[in-house]
Amino acid sequence: MALAQESPDAQLPGLMCHTVGGYRLSDVRVVAAFDVDAAKVGRPLAEAFTAPSVSATKFTQLGIDRDSPVLPAPLLDGLDGPLGTLVETSAAALETTSESVAKALVDHEVHVLVITLPTGASQAIRMFAQAAIAAGVTVVNATPEKLARDEDLRRRFADAGAVLLGDDLRSHVGATSLHTTLIELLISRGLVPTSTYQLNVGGNTDFLNLADASRSASKFDSKANALRAAGLTDVAGAAGPTGYIGHLADTKVCFANIKATSVLGSELEIDVKLTVEDSPNAAGVIANAVRAGQTAVDRGLSGSVDDASALLFKSPPHGLPESEARASFLNFAS
């Protein structure tokens, strides 16, 4: 969201939509953040960005948002697994409740809450969803946790007049987008995929957390959902995080392979490697998702909004092939 400090008329590289529902990125403000890290809680946003656990590059100076507070969140299961050895828990987080989070959302006049908690932190993620319902706040679920795909939660958001977008935010040009685009290309040419894999390694705290099999299960499910939406059925395959390599820091490396049967029974194989800086690769998608969430509210929508979700998330309630999802979102954004 720091990109919101750029000129309102700037055409930013990698930002798919200059406006969504009439909103420019300069219309978005970060008014508060929540965390459990003792190095972040109680500090302004600009200082929290330099905490030891943050490996992302500092691309731009914060402007009006630099002094926004980092508030405590309930710990729950947020630091279960390897993250518990890396992050010191704030004392305030041990005393914070869902009710206090809901109150903070109201007090800080939050319109859209982006949930970016560690994969597998089911209790903590659902706590934020409950707090958002209580506060009538729209949610962008960037995690693989099943929120937008939960029929009861969708109904409760609708009853609260709030929008729920998710699940599992895609990167702008990431492993899933690359993989599904290649699959769609092959299928559109009449080829029949026979096997595929997508293996991802990285060195940030996300990959450290995903190195624990008990935390990464929902990520593998989400990746599988994305492949099915791209048209893969009954095909031998695997996709998901496969390793933590500390010295890679915020670099993510994807190895993807697809084999398919082509004309006259001939065989085709695609073998690609994608290397990206992981954290900023999500920034443009979050920028679209936040503006889409507010646009949906402006239009009197509530609950899950399919037209805004299929392109932005790996595991939306109703997945679509890449080209159809893009057309659907651009039509919604206009």
Side-chain angles (χ1 to χ4, degrees):
M1 287 308 131
L3 292 175
Q5 311 308 322
E6 301 288 346
S7 166
D9 296 318
Q11 295 290 340
L12 300 170
L15 189 64
M16 183 182 298
C17 297
H18 184 56
T19 62
V20 176
Y23 291 107
R24 298 179 179 184
L25 193 53
S26 55
D27 295 320
V28 178
R29 280 203 57 205
V30 180
V31 295
F34 295 90
D35 213 302
V36 299
D37 189 339
K40 300 179 184 180
V41 173
R43 289 174 166 77
L45 200 59
E47 291 182 16
F49 277 169
T50 65
S53 57
V54 176
S55 57
T57 302
K58 182 179 180 182
F59 284 97
T60 184
Q61 295 290 333
L62 286 173
I64 194 172
D65 302 335
R66 64 177 296 105
D67 294 324
S68 295
V70 178
L71 307 171
L75 177 61
L76 300 173
D77 55 353
L79 295 182
D80 286 2
L83 291 179
T85 65
L86 182 67
V87 176
E88 179 185 352
T89 304
S90 163
L94 301 175
E95 301 173 355
T96 303
T97 65
S98 175
E99 290 76 16
S100 62
V101 171
K103 183 177 184 301
L105 293 174
V106 173
D107 290 346
H108 289 276
E109 300 181 351
V110 173
H111 294 151
V112 181
L113 174 67
V114 181
I115 301 178
T116 57
L117 272 69
T119 298
S122 180
Q123 296 175 24
I125 293 165
R126 286 185 167 268
M127 181 281 302
F128 272 104
Q130 303 289 354
I133 290 171
V137 170
T138 287
V139 160
V140 171
N141 178 30
T143 81
E145 183 68 20
K146 188 176 178 180
L147 298 186
R149 290 165 291 152
D150 184 316
E151 185 176 351
D152 178 63
L153 268 181
R154 290 200 304 270
R155 177 187 56 77
R156 294 177 62 198
F157 269 86
D159 290 345
V163 169
L164 172 59
L165 301 183
D167 297 315
D168 199 7
L169 193 83
R170 286 176 180 253
S171 294
H172 187 60
V173 179
T176 298
S177 293
L178 174 65
H179 199 179
T180 55
T181 298
L182 291 174
I183 289 168
E184 184 179 8
L185 171 65
L186 296 181
I187 292 175
S188 73
R189 298 286 175 153
L191 277 71
V192 179
T194 55
S195 68
T196 189
Y197 64 75
Q198 178 202 127
L199 311 177
N200 304 309
V201 297
N204 57 25
T205 51
D206 185 32
F207 276 93
L208 176 63
N209 177 61
L210 292 171
D212 185 336
S214 67
R215 302 283 273 184
S216 62
S218 61
K219 175 63 76 172
F220 280 95
D221 287 344
S222 181
K223 294 268 192 181
N225 289 338
L227 296 185
R228 282 191 289 271
L232 282 193
T233 56
D234 300 322
V235 174
T242 54
Y244 169 71
I245 303 174
H247 72 263
L248 288 178
D250 203 31
T251 296
K252 174 180 178 178
V253 184
C254 162
F255 302 92
N257 176 279
I258 310 170
K259 293 182 180 179
T261 302
S262 188
V263 177
L264 299 176
S266 59
E267 298 296 321
L268 175 145
E269 181 175 3
I270 298 176
D271 209 355
V272 297
K273 173 186 176 183
L274 171 69
T275 302
V276 296
E277 190 164 358
D278 199 20
S279 297
N281 206 13
V285 186
I286 290 177
N288 286 339
V290 167
R291 293 179 294 165
Q294 186 58 43
T295 296
V297 173
D298 293 345
R299 294 175 181 172
L301 304 176
S302 59
S304 179
V305 180
D306 288 344
D307 288 345
S309 293
L311 180 69
L312 305 178
F313 300 92
K314 300 182 184 74
S315 224
H318 301 98
L320 293 172
E322 191 81 14
S323 60
E324 294 179 33
R326 182 175 184 274
S328 177
F329 182 79
L330 292 179
N331 181 63
F332 174 85
S334 63

